[in-house]
Amino acid sequence: MANNQLTIEELEVKAKEIRRLIIQMLARAGSGHPGGSLSATDLITALYFNVLRFKSDNPQWPDRDRFHMSKGHCCPLWYAVLAKTGYFSEEKLFTLRQLGSILQGHPDRKTPGVESASGSLGQGLSIALGMSLALRIDKLDSRVYVLLGDGEVQEGNIWEAAMASAHFGCSNICAILDSNGCQIDGRCEDIMGLEPLVAKWQAFGWHTIEINGHDMRQILDAYEQAKTIKDKPTIIIARTVKGKGVSFMEGVVAFHGKAPTQEEAQRALKELV
């Protein structure tokens, strides 16, 4: 089981290393999605290094927890974390989006550690629900974590899955909403307002936890609290900053799906030391 229980300071260092890898991968590939990858980095770093139960040398270990990245376009983050936790070598990260690589622009199951493919938004919570019910049938106590983007929460499929997850009392589901307030076309509030998010999820029968998604202490406490909730699923609504860690990307919608140039990458890497 690769659960190292890092300290807060060690997690912060690890997150910075992962942000550097994201920038390097995308600059090498010349395409990809930095904004949402960087905003969710602290959440997924804490999850993999201190919370998730898994064996990177045995990806199909039956007792593992399950993770699904519903906002699959942010897979550079997932790939960097999988490499850092031993699923494959860091060298493979620099094959991102190349023909024949195991690391495509959206995740699929050829990548060790990827449970299910993602690409079309709005489907991840339904997949998590299916995993949750399957674990119940198999009498396994594993948990299911799913990362959502706030743009995809505008989709009806999410709310059908939210309703069903609460109806079936899926307490082993922990959804993580990377709420950076932006989507590819602009600010969410200008395109399709999402608030009040906490009240909406509570109305659907979920236990809700709202946190600063860049505060490692709050992130770890939220994951621990989620494990204690019985008879209902939990969502962690993490308020984050798109492009977090790189000054000229923070809050800039243009970096939703635009890779940094080589010059921009060098500027970003200097900030991430």
Side-chain angles (χ1 to χ4, degrees):
M1 189 183 338
N3 191 334
N4 301 311
Q5 293 295 314
L6 303 183
T7 66
I8 296 288
E9 292 75 19
E10 289 171 333
L11 284 170
E12 290 171 345
V13 170
K14 193 68 70 178
K16 190 169 288 188
E17 293 172 357
I18 289 165
R19 284 189 166 96
R20 287 178 60 85
L21 285 172
I22 291 168
I23 294 296
Q24 292 171 314
M25 293 163 62
L26 293 174
R28 177 76 66 88
S31 63
H33 297 77
S37 297
L38 295 171
S39 67
T41 295
D42 297 309
L43 299 164
I44 304 307
T45 300
L47 179 67
Y48 265 83
F49 284 93
N50 277 41
V51 180
L52 205 66
R53 190 168 63 180
F54 63 91
K55 291 181 178 179
S56 56
D57 61 352
N58 183 10
Q60 296 304 308
W61 177 46
D63 292 330
R64 70 193 184 281
D65 291 330
R66 274 64 167 174
F67 172 73
H68 179 69
M69 179 174 279
S70 185
K71 56 171 203 163
H73 54 282
C74 296
C75 57
L77 161 61
W78 197 6
Y79 297 157
V81 171
L82 290 174
K84 282 288 186 185
T85 50
Y87 281 92
F88 47 82
S89 69
E90 288 190 24
E91 286 74 18
K92 289 194 181 299
L93 295 176
F94 302 104
T95 67
L96 175 69
R97 291 185 169 231
Q98 291 180 11
L99 190 63
S101 170
I102 63 168
L103 306 180
Q104 291 302 306
H106 286 81
D108 67 43
R109 297 195 63 192
K110 71 174 64 172
T111 307
V114 171
E115 299 278 356
S116 48
S118 52
S120 299
L121 296 175
Q123 300 177 350
L125 194 57
S126 297
I127 292 172
L129 171 59
M131 290 176 173
S132 167
L133 296 175
L135 288 170
R136 181 182 295 180
I137 291 169
D138 292 339
K139 302 186 186 308
L140 294 172
D141 66 355
S142 303
R143 293 180 59 76
V144 182
Y145 296 85
V146 55
L147 179 68
L148 307 174
D150 42 10
E152 72 172 332
V153 172
Q154 296 162 339
E155 304 203 23
N157 195 4
I158 288 287
W159 298 104
E160 293 178 48
M163 183 168 54
S165 299
H167 175 79
F168 291 114
C170 295
S171 57
N172 61 347
I173 294 180
C174 178
I176 309 149
L177 176 56
D178 176 27
S179 182
N180 60 41
C182 301
Q183 57 192 102
I184 192 167
D185 294 322
R187 302 285 305 175
C188 297
E189 62 191 26
D190 297 326
I191 296 167
M192 180 67 77
L194 295 165
E195 301 294 347
L197 277 168
V198 171
K200 286 176 180 173
W201 285 93
Q202 287 176 340
F204 272 75
W206 285 58
H207 179 73
T208 61
I209 307 171
E210 188 176 20
I211 62 168
N212 175 345
H214 301 303
D215 184 315
M216 282 295 181
R217 181 73 273 159
Q218 290 188 35
I219 295 169
L220 293 176
D221 287 348
Y223 285 137
E224 286 304 308
Q225 183 185 145
K227 291 179 182 177
T228 69
I229 303 304
K230 305 300 181 187
D231 301 325
K232 62 171 62 177
T234 294
I235 182 165
I236 299 171
I237 299 173
R239 305 297 185 178
T240 60
V241 176
K242 201 175 189 80
K244 178 66 175 177
V246 179
S247 61
F248 59 90
M249 291 185 179
E250 289 191 355
V252 178
V253 172
F255 279 106
H256 176 98
K258 185 184 75 168
T261 64
Q262 291 298 328
E263 180 184 357
E264 289 170 338
Q266 291 307 310
R267 288 173 57 197
L269 293 174
K270 286 180 181 177
E271 295 184 14
L272 293 169
V273 293

PDB file of all heavy atoms in Angstrom, residues 71-98:
ATOM      1  N   LYS A  71     -13.130  15.096 -14.837  1.00  0.00           N
ATOM      2  CA  LYS A  71     -12.682  16.161 -15.760  1.00  0.00           C
ATOM      3  C   LYS A  71     -11.353  15.695 -16.373  1.00  0.00           C
ATOM      4  O   LYS A  71     -10.262  16.156 -16.033  1.00  0.00           O
ATOM      5  CB  LYS A  71     -12.574  17.503 -15.052  1.00  0.00           C
ATOM      6  CG  LYS A  71     -11.699  17.602 -13.828  1.00  0.00           C
ATOM      7  CD  LYS A  71     -11.581  19.076 -13.451  1.00  0.00           C
ATOM      8  CE  LYS A  71     -10.342  19.361 -12.631  1.00  0.00           C
ATOM      9  NZ  LYS A  71      -9.990  20.762 -12.595  1.00  0.00           N
ATOM     10  N   GLY A  72     -11.495  14.754 -17.306  1.00  0.00           N
ATOM     11  CA  GLY A  72     -10.346  14.030 -17.835  1.00  0.00           C
ATOM     12  C   GLY A  72      -9.329  14.872 -18.576  1.00  0.00           C
ATOM     13  O   GLY A  72      -8.174  14.467 -18.724  1.00  0.00           O
ATOM     14  N   HIS A  73      -9.727  16.062 -19.023  1.00  0.00           N
ATOM     15  CA  HIS A  73      -8.768  16.913 -19.729  1.00  0.00           C
ATOM     16  C   HIS A  73      -7.646  17.393 -18.803  1.00  0.00           C
ATOM     17  O   HIS A  73      -6.631  17.892 -19.275  1.00  0.00           O
ATOM     18  CB  HIS A  73      -9.474  18.112 -20.363  1.00  0.00           C
ATOM     19  CG  HIS A  73     -10.289  18.919 -19.404  1.00  0.00           C
ATOM     20  ND1 HIS A  73     -11.530  18.529 -18.965  1.00  0.00           N
ATOM     21  CD2 HIS A  73     -10.043  20.104 -18.788  1.00  0.00           C
ATOM     22  CE1 HIS A  73     -12.016  19.433 -18.125  1.00  0.00           C
ATOM     23  NE2 HIS A  73     -11.128  20.400 -18.002  1.00  0.00           N
ATOM     24  N   CYS A  74      -7.832  17.205 -17.495  1.00  0.00           N
ATOM     25  CA  CYS A  74      -6.787  17.585 -16.534  1.00  0.00           C
ATOM     26  C   CYS A  74      -5.885  16.402 -16.180  1.00  0.00           C
ATOM     27  O   CYS A  74      -5.221  16.398 -15.136  1.00  0.00           O
ATOM     28  CB  CYS A  74      -7.416  18.174 -15.285  1.00  0.00           C
ATOM     29  SG  CYS A  74      -8.302  19.719 -15.614  1.00  0.00           S
ATOM     30  N   CYS A  75      -5.832  15.425 -17.061  1.00  0.00           N
ATOM     31  CA  CYS A  75      -5.034  14.222 -16.810  1.00  0.00           C
ATOM     32  C   CYS A  75      -3.532  14.463 -16.637  1.00  0.00           C
ATOM     33  O   CYS A  75      -2.864  13.619 -16.038  1.00  0.00           O
ATOM     34  CB  CYS A  75      -5.286  13.186 -17.891  1.00  0.00           C
ATOM     35  SG  CYS A  75      -4.950  13.782 -19.554  1.00  0.00           S
ATOM     36  N   PRO A  76      -2.948  15.565 -17.133  1.00  0.00           N
ATOM     37  CA  PRO A  76      -1.522  15.753 -16.823  1.00  0.00           C
ATOM     38  C   PRO A  76      -1.248  15.710 -15.319  1.00  0.00           C
ATOM     39  O   PRO A  76      -0.217  15.186 -14.883  1.00  0.00           O
ATOM     40  CB  PRO A  76      -1.209  17.126 -17.425  1.00  0.00           C
ATOM     41  CG  PRO A  76      -2.145  17.225 -18.586  1.00  0.00           C
ATOM     42  CD  PRO A  76      -3.415  16.586 -18.103  1.00  0.00           C
ATOM     43  N   LEU A  77      -2.170  16.246 -14.542  1.00  0.00           N
ATOM     44  CA  LEU A  77      -2.055  16.143 -13.080  1.00  0.00           C
ATOM     45  C   LEU A  77      -2.085  14.693 -12.639  1.00  0.00           C
ATOM     46  O   LEU A  77      -1.246  14.251 -11.849  1.00  0.00           O
ATOM     47  CB  LEU A  77      -3.204  16.928 -12.427  1.00  0.00           C
ATOM     48  CG  LEU A  77      -3.519  16.588 -10.969  1.00  0.00           C
ATOM     49  CD1 LEU A  77      -2.326  16.867 -10.066  1.00  0.00           C
ATOM     50  CD2 LEU A  77      -4.752  17.354 -10.511  1.00  0.00           C
ATOM     51  N   TRP A  78      -3.041  13.955 -13.133  1.00  0.00           N
ATOM     52  CA  TRP A  78      -3.179  12.547 -12.728  1.00  0.00           C
ATOM     53  C   TRP A  78      -1.934  11.748 -13.131  1.00  0.00           C
ATOM     54  O   TRP A  78      -1.391  10.976 -12.335  1.00  0.00           O
ATOM     55  CB  TRP A  78      -4.423  11.965 -13.375  1.00  0.00           C
ATOM     56  CG  TRP A  78      -4.929  10.688 -12.760  1.00  0.00           C
ATOM     57  CD1 TRP A  78      -4.464  10.062 -11.630  1.00  0.00           C
ATOM     58  CD2 TRP A  78      -6.024   9.907 -13.222  1.00  0.00           C
ATOM     59  NE1 TRP A  78      -5.203   8.945 -11.363  1.00  0.00           N
ATOM     60  CE2 TRP A  78      -6.159   8.823 -12.324  1.00  0.00           C
ATOM     61  CE3 TRP A  78      -6.895  10.017 -14.293  1.00  0.00           C
ATOM     62  CZ2 TRP A  78      -7.152   7.854 -12.487  1.00  0.00           C
ATOM     63  CZ3 TRP A  78      -7.885   9.048 -14.443  1.00  0.00           C
ATOM     64  CH2 TRP A  78      -8.010   7.974 -13.562  1.00  0.00           C
ATOM     65  N   TYR A  79      -1.465  11.956 -14.351  1.00  0.00           N
ATOM     66  CA  TYR A  79      -0.284  11.229 -14.814  1.00  0.00           C
ATOM     67  C   TYR A  79       0.943  11.543 -13.948  1.00  0.00           C
ATOM     68  O   TYR A  79       1.731  10.646 -13.610  1.00  0.00           O
ATOM     69  CB  TYR A  79       0.025  11.598 -16.269  1.00  0.00           C
ATOM     70  CG  TYR A  79      -1.041  11.222 -17.275  1.00  0.00           C
ATOM     71  CD1 TYR A  79      -1.130  11.898 -18.498  1.00  0.00           C
ATOM     72  CD2 TYR A  79      -1.955  10.194 -17.036  1.00  0.00           C
ATOM     73  CE1 TYR A  79      -2.094  11.566 -19.435  1.00  0.00           C
ATOM     74  CE2 TYR A  79      -2.926   9.861 -17.964  1.00  0.00           C
ATOM     75  CZ  TYR A  79      -2.999  10.547 -19.165  1.00  0.00           C
ATOM     76  OH  TYR A  79      -3.957  10.213 -20.095  1.00  0.00           O
ATOM     77  N   ALA A  80       1.098  12.811 -13.596  1.00  0.00           N
ATOM     78  CA  ALA A  80       2.260  13.185 -12.769  1.00  0.00           C
ATOM     79  C   ALA A  80       2.184  12.505 -11.403  1.00  0.00           C
ATOM     80  O   ALA A  80       3.200  12.009 -10.884  1.00  0.00           O
ATOM     81  CB  ALA A  80       2.321  14.699 -12.617  1.00  0.00           C
ATOM     82  N   VAL A  81       0.988  12.462 -10.817  1.00  0.00           N
ATOM     83  CA  VAL A  81       0.825  11.816  -9.510  1.00  0.00           C
ATOM     84  C   VAL A  81       1.056  10.307  -9.632  1.00  0.00           C
ATOM     85  O   VAL A  81       1.705   9.695  -8.780  1.00  0.00           O
ATOM     86  CB  VAL A  81      -0.578  12.119  -8.938  1.00  0.00           C
ATOM     87  CG1 VAL A  81      -0.838  11.281  -7.687  1.00  0.00           C
ATOM     88  CG2 VAL A  81      -0.705  13.607  -8.604  1.00  0.00           C
ATOM     89  N   LEU A  82       0.531   9.696 -10.688  1.00  0.00           N
ATOM     90  CA  LEU A  82       0.740   8.253 -10.879  1.00  0.00           C
ATOM     91  C   LEU A  82       2.224   7.929 -11.042  1.00  0.00           C
ATOM     92  O   LEU A  82       2.710   6.921 -10.520  1.00  0.00           O
ATOM     93  CB  LEU A  82      -0.050   7.770 -12.098  1.00  0.00           C
ATOM     94  CG  LEU A  82      -1.580   7.740 -11.947  1.00  0.00           C
ATOM     95  CD1 LEU A  82      -2.247   7.391 -13.273  1.00  0.00           C
ATOM     96  CD2 LEU A  82      -2.017   6.756 -10.854  1.00  0.00           C
ATOM     97  N   ALA A  83       2.947   8.778 -11.738  1.00  0.00           N
ATOM     98  CA  ALA A  83       4.389   8.554 -11.882  1.00  0.00           C
ATOM     99  C   ALA A  83       5.094   8.714 -10.539  1.00  0.00           C
ATOM    100  O   ALA A  83       5.964   7.909 -10.175  1.00  0.00           O
ATOM    101  CB  ALA A  83       4.969   9.524 -12.910  1.00  0.00           C
ATOM    102  N   LYS A  84       4.715   9.727  -9.800  1.00  0.00           N
ATOM    103  CA  LYS A  84       5.349   9.984  -8.498  1.00  0.00           C
ATOM    104  C   LYS A  84       5.051   8.872  -7.483  1.00  0.00           C
ATOM    105  O   LYS A  84       5.793   8.699  -6.523  1.00  0.00           O
ATOM    106  CB  LYS A  84       4.866  11.325  -7.939  1.00  0.00           C
ATOM    107  CG  LYS A  84       5.536  12.547  -8.565  1.00  0.00           C
ATOM    108  CD  LYS A  84       6.984  12.662  -8.091  1.00  0.00           C
ATOM    109  CE  LYS A  84       7.630  13.941  -8.571  1.00  0.00           C
ATOM    110  NZ  LYS A  84       9.081  13.991  -8.196  1.00  0.00           N
ATOM    111  N   THR A  85       3.951   8.160  -7.677  1.00  0.00           N
ATOM    112  CA  THR A  85       3.604   7.084  -6.748  1.00  0.00           C
ATOM    113  C   THR A  85       3.986   5.708  -7.287  1.00  0.00           C
ATOM    114  O   THR A  85       3.611   4.689  -6.699  1.00  0.00           O
ATOM    115  CB  THR A  85       2.096   7.111  -6.418  1.00  0.00           C
ATOM    116  OG1 THR A  85       1.333   7.179  -7.621  1.00  0.00           O
ATOM    117  CG2 THR A  85       1.764   8.305  -5.537  1.00  0.00           C
ATOM    118  N   GLY A  86       4.706   5.664  -8.401  1.00  0.00           N
ATOM    119  CA  GLY A  86       5.327   4.421  -8.826  1.00  0.00           C
ATOM    120  C   GLY A  86       4.590   3.581  -9.834  1.00  0.00           C
ATOM    121  O   GLY A  86       4.989   2.443 -10.098  1.00  0.00           O
ATOM    122  N   TYR A  87       3.530   4.095 -10.441  1.00  0.00           N
ATOM    123  CA  TYR A  87       2.815   3.293 -11.442  1.00  0.00           C
ATOM    124  C   TYR A  87       3.622   3.136 -12.725  1.00  0.00           C
ATOM    125  O   TYR A  87       3.489   2.144 -13.429  1.00  0.00           O
ATOM    126  CB  TYR A  87       1.460   3.939 -11.757  1.00  0.00           C
ATOM    127  CG  TYR A  87       0.395   3.673 -10.723  1.00  0.00           C
ATOM    128  CD1 TYR A  87       0.203   4.549  -9.667  1.00  0.00           C
ATOM    129  CD2 TYR A  87      -0.408   2.537 -10.794  1.00  0.00           C
ATOM    130  CE1 TYR A  87      -0.782   4.304  -8.710  1.00  0.00           C
ATOM    131  CE2 TYR A  87      -1.388   2.282  -9.854  1.00  0.00           C
ATOM    132  CZ  TYR A  87      -1.568   3.171  -8.810  1.00  0.00           C
ATOM    133  OH  TYR A  87      -2.540   2.913  -7.870  1.00  0.00           O
ATOM    134  N   PHE A  88       4.413   4.140 -13.062  1.00  0.00           N
ATOM    135  CA  PHE A  88       5.292   4.081 -14.229  1.00  0.00           C
ATOM    136  C   PHE A  88       6.371   5.136 -14.040  1.00  0.00           C
ATOM    137  O   PHE A  88       6.302   5.953 -13.101  1.00  0.00           O
ATOM    138  CB  PHE A  88       4.515   4.273 -15.546  1.00  0.00           C
ATOM    139  CG  PHE A  88       3.552   5.435 -15.530  1.00  0.00           C
ATOM    140  CD1 PHE A  88       4.001   6.733 -15.756  1.00  0.00           C
ATOM    141  CD2 PHE A  88       2.198   5.232 -15.291  1.00  0.00           C
ATOM    142  CE1 PHE A  88       3.125   7.800 -15.744  1.00  0.00           C
ATOM    143  CE2 PHE A  88       1.305   6.308 -15.269  1.00  0.00           C
ATOM    144  CZ  PHE A  88       1.782   7.595 -15.493  1.00  0.00           C
ATOM    145  N   SER A  89       7.356   5.133 -14.935  1.00  0.00           N
ATOM    146  CA  SER A  89       8.500   6.026 -14.748  1.00  0.00           C
ATOM    147  C   SER A  89       8.158   7.475 -15.134  1.00  0.00           C
ATOM    148  O   SER A  89       7.287   7.717 -15.975  1.00  0.00           O
ATOM    149  CB  SER A  89       9.670   5.544 -15.599  1.00  0.00           C
ATOM    150  OG  SER A  89       9.372   5.737 -16.970  1.00  0.00           O
ATOM    151  N   GLU A  90       8.863   8.399 -14.514  1.00  0.00           N
ATOM    152  CA  GLU A  90       8.652   9.807 -14.846  1.00  0.00           C
ATOM    153  C   GLU A  90       9.030  10.112 -16.299  1.00  0.00           C
ATOM    154  O   GLU A  90       8.495  11.041 -16.900  1.00  0.00           O
ATOM    155  CB  GLU A  90       9.446  10.709 -13.901  1.00  0.00           C
ATOM    156  CG  GLU A  90       8.866  10.743 -12.484  1.00  0.00           C
ATOM    157  CD  GLU A  90       9.490  11.814 -11.613  1.00  0.00           C
ATOM    158  OE1 GLU A  90      10.021  12.811 -12.167  1.00  0.00           O
ATOM    159  OE2 GLU A  90       9.467  11.652 -10.385  1.00  0.00           O
ATOM    160  N   GLU A  91       9.921   9.337 -16.869  1.00  0.00           N
ATOM    161  CA  GLU A  91      10.316   9.564 -18.264  1.00  0.00           C
ATOM    162  C   GLU A  91       9.116   9.465 -19.202  1.00  0.00           C
ATOM    163  O   GLU A  91       9.027  10.182 -20.205  1.00  0.00           O
ATOM    164  CB  GLU A  91      11.393   8.557 -18.693  1.00  0.00           C
ATOM    165  CG  GLU A  91      12.770   8.819 -18.111  1.00  0.00           C
ATOM    166  CD  GLU A  91      12.874   8.459 -16.642  1.00  0.00           C
ATOM    167  OE1 GLU A  91      12.018   7.694 -16.139  1.00  0.00           O
ATOM    168  OE2 GLU A  91      13.813   8.953 -15.982  1.00  0.00           O
ATOM    169  N   LYS A  92       8.190   8.584 -18.856  1.00  0.00           N
ATOM    170  CA  LYS A  92       7.017   8.408 -19.734  1.00  0.00           C
ATOM    171  C   LYS A  92       6.151   9.660 -19.782  1.00  0.00           C
ATOM    172  O   LYS A  92       5.372   9.849 -20.721  1.00  0.00           O
ATOM    173  CB  LYS A  92       6.192   7.199 -19.281  1.00  0.00           C
ATOM    174  CG  LYS A  92       6.859   5.856 -19.560  1.00  0.00           C
ATOM    175  CD  LYS A  92       5.892   4.715 -19.412  1.00  0.00           C
ATOM    176  CE  LYS A  92       6.584   3.372 -19.666  1.00  0.00           C
ATOM    177  NZ  LYS A  92       7.126   3.291 -21.038  1.00  0.00           N
ATOM    178  N   LEU A  93       6.257  10.517 -18.769  1.00  0.00           N
ATOM    179  CA  LEU A  93       5.436  11.732 -18.763  1.00  0.00           C
ATOM    180  C   LEU A  93       5.705  12.587 -20.000  1.00  0.00           C
ATOM    181  O   LEU A  93       4.815  13.300 -20.470  1.00  0.00           O
ATOM    182  CB  LEU A  93       5.711  12.550 -17.500  1.00  0.00           C
ATOM    183  CG  LEU A  93       5.298  11.890 -16.168  1.00  0.00           C
ATOM    184  CD1 LEU A  93       5.721  12.773 -14.998  1.00  0.00           C
ATOM    185  CD2 LEU A  93       3.798  11.625 -16.122  1.00  0.00           C
ATOM    186  N   PHE A  94       6.893  12.484 -20.520  1.00  0.00           N
ATOM    187  CA  PHE A  94       7.263  13.359 -21.631  1.00  0.00           C
ATOM    188  C   PHE A  94       6.905  12.755 -22.997  1.00  0.00           C
ATOM    189  O   PHE A  94       7.369  13.212 -24.031  1.00  0.00           O
ATOM    190  CB  PHE A  94       8.740  13.728 -21.509  1.00  0.00           C
ATOM    191  CG  PHE A  94       8.999  14.404 -20.185  1.00  0.00           C
ATOM    192  CD1 PHE A  94       9.612  13.723 -19.151  1.00  0.00           C
ATOM    193  CD2 PHE A  94       8.569  15.704 -19.972  1.00  0.00           C
ATOM    194  CE1 PHE A  94       9.794  14.341 -17.914  1.00  0.00           C
ATOM    195  CE2 PHE A  94       8.749  16.324 -18.744  1.00  0.00           C
ATOM    196  CZ  PHE A  94       9.366  15.641 -17.715  1.00  0.00           C
ATOM    197  N   THR A  95       6.070  11.699 -22.914  1.00  0.00           N
ATOM    198  CA  THR A  95       5.460  11.163 -24.144  1.00  0.00           C
ATOM    199  C   THR A  95       4.003  11.593 -24.238  1.00  0.00           C
ATOM    200  O   THR A  95       3.261  11.104 -25.105  1.00  0.00           O
ATOM    201  CB  THR A  95       5.541   9.630 -24.180  1.00  0.00           C
ATOM    202  OG1 THR A  95       4.705   9.082 -23.137  1.00  0.00           O
ATOM    203  CG2 THR A  95       6.964   9.143 -23.979  1.00  0.00           C
ATOM    204  N   LEU A  96       3.592  12.497 -23.367  1.00  0.00           N
ATOM    205  CA  LEU A  96       2.196  12.936 -23.340  1.00  0.00           C
ATOM    206  C   LEU A  96       1.715  13.332 -24.733  1.00  0.00           C
ATOM    207  O   LEU A  96       2.363  14.109 -25.429  1.00  0.00           O
ATOM    208  CB  LEU A  96       2.053  14.143 -22.394  1.00  0.00           C
ATOM    209  CG  LEU A  96       0.670  14.804 -22.330  1.00  0.00           C
ATOM    210  CD1 LEU A  96      -0.337  13.884 -21.661  1.00  0.00           C
ATOM    211  CD2 LEU A  96       0.751  16.141 -21.596  1.00  0.00           C
ATOM    212  N   ARG A  97       0.568  12.764 -25.110  1.00  0.00           N
ATOM    213  CA  ARG A  97      -0.122  13.090 -26.369  1.00  0.00           C
ATOM    214  C   ARG A  97       0.628  12.641 -27.622  1.00  0.00           C
ATOM    215  O   ARG A  97       0.276  13.053 -28.720  1.00  0.00           O
ATOM    216  CB  ARG A  97      -0.434  14.592 -26.438  1.00  0.00           C
ATOM    217  CG  ARG A  97      -1.507  15.013 -25.427  1.00  0.00           C
ATOM    218  CD  ARG A  97      -1.908  16.461 -25.555  1.00  0.00           C
ATOM    219  NE  ARG A  97      -3.098  16.729 -24.746  1.00  0.00           N
ATOM    220  CZ  ARG A  97      -4.197  17.318 -25.179  1.00  0.00           C
ATOM    221  NH1 ARG A  97      -4.273  17.713 -26.429  1.00  0.00           N
ATOM    222  NH2 ARG A  97      -5.229  17.526 -24.381  1.00  0.00           N
ATOM    223  N   GLN A  98       1.667  11.841 -27.455  1.00  0.00           N
ATOM    224  CA  GLN A  98       2.345  11.311 -28.635  1.00  0.00           C
ATOM    225  C   GLN A  98       1.625  10.055 -29.130  1.00  0.00           C
ATOM    226  O   GLN A  98       1.053   9.303 -28.337  1.00  0.00           O
ATOM    227  CB  GLN A  98       3.808  10.973 -28.314  1.00  0.00           C
ATOM    228  CG  GLN A  98       4.676  12.200 -28.052  1.00  0.00           C
ATOM    229  CD  GLN A  98       6.108  11.831 -27.749  1.00  0.00           C
ATOM    230  OE1 GLN A  98       6.520  10.680 -27.920  1.00  0.00           O
ATOM    231  NE2 GLN A  98       6.878  12.800 -27.284  1.00  0.00           N
TER     232      GLN A  98
END
